[in-house]
Every structure is written in structure tokens, then in C-alpha cells.
Amino acid sequence: MHQPIAVTIDEVKKIAKLANLPLQNNEEELFAKQFSDTIAVVNELNEIDTSGIPATYQVNGLSNISRDDVVDPKYTLSQEEATSQADQKHEGFFVVKRVIDAQ
């Protein structure tokens, strides 16, 4: 049996920062408990003996289904049509605000 793992509020803050998710103070304790509960369930599942069970990677019997990659002109726009309503464009491309800061 695994030792219970308790996720700390500091660890929740770190995870939230890495995921770029703002948290309210009242959510930190809630998420710490939920993370700890999730880890406990995973640890329980890890204790199940599955040595006699074959690996399952696909359960619906389908094999890879694909089609030819054919462009249908009825469903495409020219670059000019696609950018015609853009607030800002440059040399045929959309201009948008940078969303990722260099660190």
C-alpha cells in the first residue's frame, strides 16, 4: 500500500503558474485536496494485478481510417478573401498581438 501523498498549497501555486492559470486564494486549498485525492485513486489503481491482462490499445475494432487529402474549392477561401475582414494585416497575413512573453 502506498503512503498517502498530500499536495501542498505551494505545489498548487507552482502548477498554476506553470499552466498560466490564475487562482483565487480559496481555490488553492480545494485544488490541493483534489490533486491529493486524484493521486490516491491512481495509487489504488496501480495496486491492481494486471499481469494476466493483455495490453489494450484500441477497443472499438476500427483500424486507421483515412481519406485522400483533396482540396475542394467549394470550401476554401483565397488568402485575400480570408484576410478581407481583418483589422490588421501585413503582406497577406493576419497581424495579432503577441501572447507569449519571452522569458
Side-chain angles (χ1 to χ4, degrees), residues 7-38:
V7 175
T8 67
I9 289 177
D10 286 338
E11 290 169 324
V12 170
K13 289 177 183 177
K14 182 178 180 180
I15 292 167
K17 183 177 180 182
L18 291 171
N20 197 25
L21 297 172
L23 290 180
Q24 304 299 317
N25 288 338
N26 61 342
E27 292 176 317
E28 294 167 352
E29 191 172 322
L30 170 69
F31 290 150
K33 181 182 179 336
Q34 288 176 341
F35 282 144
S36 298
D37 291 347
T38 301

Side-chain angles (χ1 to χ4, degrees), residues 39-65:
I39 291 170
V41 170
V42 170
N43 284 337
E44 269 186 66
L45 292 173
N46 283 335
E47 291 181 14
I48 298 171
D49 179 15
T50 59
S51 58
I53 311 282
T56 303
Y57 60 92
Q58 206 270 10
V59 296
N60 61 15
L62 297 175
S63 58
N64 289 340
I65 298 172

Side-chain angles (χ1 to χ4, degrees), residues 88 94-103:
Q88 295 182 28
F94 296 102
V95 175
V96 296
K97 289 183 190 176
R98 182 182 176 124
V99 294
I100 299 175
D101 292 328
Q103 293 185 12

Side-chain angles (χ1 to χ4, degrees), residues 77-84 89-94:
L77 298 174
S78 68
Q79 190 170 12
E80 185 178 311
E81 291 171 313
T83 60
S84 66
K89 55 187 171 184
H90 176 71
E91 296 181 4
F93 296 95
F94 296 102

